[in-house]
Amino acid sequence: MLCDNCKKNQATYHSIKKINGVTTERHLCYECHLKQAEKESDFNGIGELFSGFKNLFGLPTHRNVARCGVCGTTADEFLETGFVGCPHCYEELSGVIMPVVSKVQSDTRHTGKSPNGKKGNAAAEEYEELRRQLDLAIESERYEDASVIRDKMRTLRGISNE
Amino acid sequence: MNKALNNIIISSRIRLARNIDGLPFPEKVSADKAALIPRDVYAALSGVDTYTIYRMNEISETDGNVLKEKHLISEDLLRNKDTGAAIINESETVSILINEEDHVREQCILPGFALKEAFTAINAVDDAIAKKVRFAYGEKLGYLTACPTNLGTGMRASAMMFLPGLSIYNSLQACVNAISRLNMTIRGVYGEGSDSVGYIYQVSNQKTLGVSERQIIDAVETSVGHIAEAELKARDSLKTSGGDELKDKIMRAYGILTNAYKIDSKEFMQLMALVNLGAYYGYIKLSDREQFLKLITNAQPANIASLSNKDLNGDERDVFRAKYVSKVLSTITKK
């Protein structure tokens, strides 16, 4: 299995975590694992406790002047209020907003209803079923099965399995 | 368990957050454009049910608070005097909040444990509106909302629960910890923070993205079921350890509520909680639970003021409340 990060070296570090019912799997090579650990220890420093809202999301404290080209909302405004200005902000400011989304929702992909009244499509239903299987596999410590199921889920989400 | 659940789960609520495609969210949209939204949504619902539209700049303070105490509108909506509006059906089970945090917030509240039924009802309303109004939606993030905490389904499913046993035993914190692992949250409905006057709490999902509506309902139902089980155990244990003292406290509360000359809303809530517990233990016979729960809403400050049909000061209101509560309780309860 190749490293999730550099996609070049063989992954030697494997972790499956389940937090708040959400499973995250990570396969990294030695170098990327070291870099990741270094980065995480930076964010978990004591300073984080006292530097306000922005660091709640593990984001840098310098002013972020990125601006939504449609409604004019700035990245800083979002970080201060927690609100976006218009539907386009999610794309225009995705670099700032998406880490927050993934942190507060532990997910980045919608699987429910769409506006035409249809419930989730077939792929979404299949995804849900896989998620249930993954939970079961992790609970019964069948990590190899969990990894296979996770790959199927990634394929469904359009994420490469390399 | 069903009868016991009726004493624990007061009501079930589903809320869907939606926004109109092509418009900035309420905080950024121009007042001109925002002012058109109530009309469009109201038009989309014509023929579905009988709805009344309430504009926040037109209703009196008391009428606004009456709706708020009935949980049909929020404090935030009430504050938006410029463009805020609510569209409410005749039976007051469905209310659509316009120009609150999102352009459209559709909610259905039903008595008892009825999340699936509430979802079916609000889903139909959502479909009806979506036929006429184009919602902001993306394949990846689902319904796009002003706050990322509502993305995806835009759905919050919640149950209002009466939890005297767990509150008295200080076991709510353990419940909070347990359900937060399931991405659920619990908060007091009356009063601030976790100390809820009248032991009434709301349990709801936090996660809205990456889960389907069905999964959210399943998860909330499971959490509510666990809490209800724990509450029943706590009530059993409370009855055993409380003995005659507890029964005396309950009957005294009943005595005050049916005989007091004046009563404020906080004391009313505290005593009603004891009477409700007395009904569960069978110390007090309750013939109409629906009326009993309605009394909790009707005795809140704005509702009492509205029922009196007079301009009352605080003391006069407390006198009217005592008289009203005594009258209703005497009709629907006996020792």
Side-chain angles (χ1 to χ4, degrees):
Chain A
M1 185 183 284
L2 289 180
C3 169
D4 286 348
N5 192 38
C6 66
K7 311 216 182 317
K8 285 178 195 157
N9 305 329
Q10 202 62 27
T12 54
Y13 168 82
H14 307 274
S15 90
I16 298 181
K17 281 185 196 165
K18 192 171 174 181
I19 301 167
N20 288 340
V22 178
T23 309
T24 39
E25 195 179 337
R26 221 159 39 163
H27 306 278
L28 299 172
C29 67
Y30 179 69
E31 286 84 21
C32 288
H33 176 217
L34 269 190
K35 275 185 213 157
Q36 196 73 34
E38 222 168 20
K39 219 160 100 185
E40 279 173 1
S41 69
D42 278 345
F43 281 130
N44 292 332
I46 191 94
E48 190 188 4
L49 291 172
F50 303 101
S51 52
F53 187 73
K54 288 182 188 175
N55 265 7
L56 187 67
F57 303 120
L59 294 161
T61 47
H62 58 78
R63 286 198 71 77
N64 196 325
V65 291
R67 185 180 286 273
C68 169
V70 180
C71 73
T73 298
T74 64
D76 254 11
E77 212 176 323
F78 165 69
L79 292 170
E80 271 151 31
T81 63
F83 291 98
V84 303
C86 76
H88 300 278
C89 289
Y90 285 105
E91 278 172 27
E92 299 268 319
L93 301 171
S94 68
V96 177
I97 296 174
M98 287 319 288
V100 176
V101 170
S102 111
K103 192 125 185 166
V104 297
Q105 296 278 3
S106 317
D107 231 305
T108 54
R109 184 108 212 159
H110 177 54
T111 55
K113 184 186 172 175
S114 60
N116 51 17
K118 285 179 194 156
K119 296 231 168 78
N121 56 30
E125 292 288 322
E126 192 182 341
Y127 188 81
E128 272 180 40
E129 180 51 34
L130 286 170
R131 189 199 292 274
R132 275 190 285 273
Q133 288 178 16
L134 181 69
D135 284 347
L136 282 176
I138 291 169
E139 265 166 38
S140 50
E141 298 183 355
R142 290 180 287 115
Y143 295 117
E144 281 182 18
D145 290 348
S147 183
V148 173
I149 297 166
R150 187 73 180 156
D151 282 349
K152 284 186 192 165
M153 289 169 78
R154 291 170 65 128
T155 308
L156 269 180
R157 291 167 76 137
I159 301 169
S160 160
N161 278 327
E162 276 182 275
Chain B
M1 181 85 178
N2 267 351
K3 203 180 159 207
L5 272 186
N6 273 341
N7 189 282
I8 295 176
I9 302 157
I10 297 170
S11 62
S12 303
R13 171 179 174 261
I14 302 279
R15 178 271 274 160
L16 303 173
R18 304 287 188 250
N19 286 282
I20 314 294
D21 196 33
L23 288 184
F25 294 138
E27 194 62 30
K28 298 264 173 177
V29 74
S30 71
D32 293 357
K33 284 185 176 155
L36 299 176
I37 303 173
R39 192 198 59 188
D40 292 349
V41 174
Y42 185 73
L45 289 168
S46 66
V48 181
D49 196 350
T50 310
Y51 284 90
T52 305
I53 189 161
Y54 301 85
R55 292 178 196 277
M56 296 304 118
N57 58 4
E58 287 171 0
I59 59 170
S60 70
E61 198 184 333
T62 303
D63 289 348
N65 281 316
V66 163
L67 296 176
K68 196 184 92 180
E69 286 170 3
K70 288 179 176 176
H71 307 288
L72 292 168
I73 65 168
S74 65
E75 179 64 37
D76 281 352
L77 187 79
L78 205 51
R79 271 197 237 119
N80 182 4
K81 295 285 177 207
D82 295 336
T83 57
I87 299 170
I88 300 172
N89 71 346
E90 221 169 5
S91 56
E92 298 192 333
T93 51
V94 171
S95 63
I96 295 135
L97 281 58
I98 313 282
N99 293 323
E100 201 228 34
E101 185 181 305
D102 294 296
H103 294 139
V104 181
R105 289 239 168 147
E106 309 153 353
Q107 67 160 24
C108 176
I109 304 179
L110 294 178
F113 200 15
L115 286 170
K116 287 193 182 83
E117 292 83 349
F119 178 70
T120 305
I122 206 62
N123 197 33
V125 169
D126 186 50
D127 288 345
I129 300 175
K131 274 187 192 154
K132 302 278 162 99
V133 175
R134 195 182 158 91
F135 287 138
Y137 177 88
E139 281 298 318
K140 190 173 175 232
L141 294 177
Y143 290 94
L144 301 170
T145 52
C147 182
T149 52
N150 294 311
L151 277 173
T153 54
M155 177 161 138
R156 202 74 63 194
S158 59
M160 206 192 279
M161 303 183 80
F162 174 55
L163 303 172
L166 291 170
S167 309
I168 291 167
Y169 277 109
N170 285 325
S171 305
L172 267 173
Q173 192 54 47
C175 272
V176 172
N177 295 343
I179 68 166
S180 65
R181 282 197 288 273
L182 300 166
N183 281 313
M184 297 289 145
T185 176
I186 182 167
R187 66 176 180 85
V189 174
Y190 298 93
E192 294 295 316
S194 60
D195 286 329
S196 180
V197 181
Y199 310 126
I200 297 175
Y201 297 86
Q202 184 168 288
V203 176
S204 63
N205 63 303
Q206 285 185 294
K207 186 175 163 67
T208 57
L209 177 65
V211 277
S212 67
E213 289 78 3
R214 194 187 65 203
Q215 282 178 310
I216 294 173
I217 291 171
D218 286 350
V220 176
E221 280 184 344
T222 305
S223 305
V224 167
H226 286 321
I227 295 170
E229 254 174 61
E231 169 64 21
L232 288 178
K233 279 186 195 153
R235 286 189 191 183
D236 282 350
S237 153
L238 190 64
K239 193 180 178 191
T240 314
S241 64
D244 287 348
E245 288 301 313
L246 176 69
K247 187 169 180 179
D248 183 55
K249 213 173 161 187
I250 288 171
M251 297 318 286
R252 278 169 187 272
Y254 184 52
I256 294 173
L257 284 180
T258 46
N259 291 284
Y261 177 68
K262 68 193 272 268
I263 192 161
D264 67 28
S265 62
K266 190 175 176 189
E267 188 186 8
F268 162 77
M269 287 300 284
Q270 287 161 343
L271 299 177
M272 272 297 267
L274 286 169
V275 170
N276 200 356
L277 192 59
Y280 170 75
Y281 288 139
Y283 301 155
I284 296 160
K285 309 271 176 294
L286 178 60
S287 60
D288 191 336
R289 170 149 288 276
E290 204 180 310
Q291 284 303 317
F292 184 82
L293 294 176
K294 214 170 165 185
L295 178 60
I296 296 179
T297 305
N298 284 347
Q300 300 302 316
N303 274 273
I304 271 293
S306 169
L307 282 168
S308 76
N309 259 330
K310 282 182 207 150
D311 221 358
L312 304 178
N313 67 29
D315 274 352
E316 289 167 340
R317 191 185 291 180
D318 290 349
V319 171
F320 183 84
R321 179 183 290 110
K323 203 170 152 192
Y324 178 80
V325 169
S326 164
K327 191 179 153 200
V328 175
L329 273 186
S330 304
T331 355
I332 59 170
T333 60
K334 62 177 182 187
K335 277 203 286 183

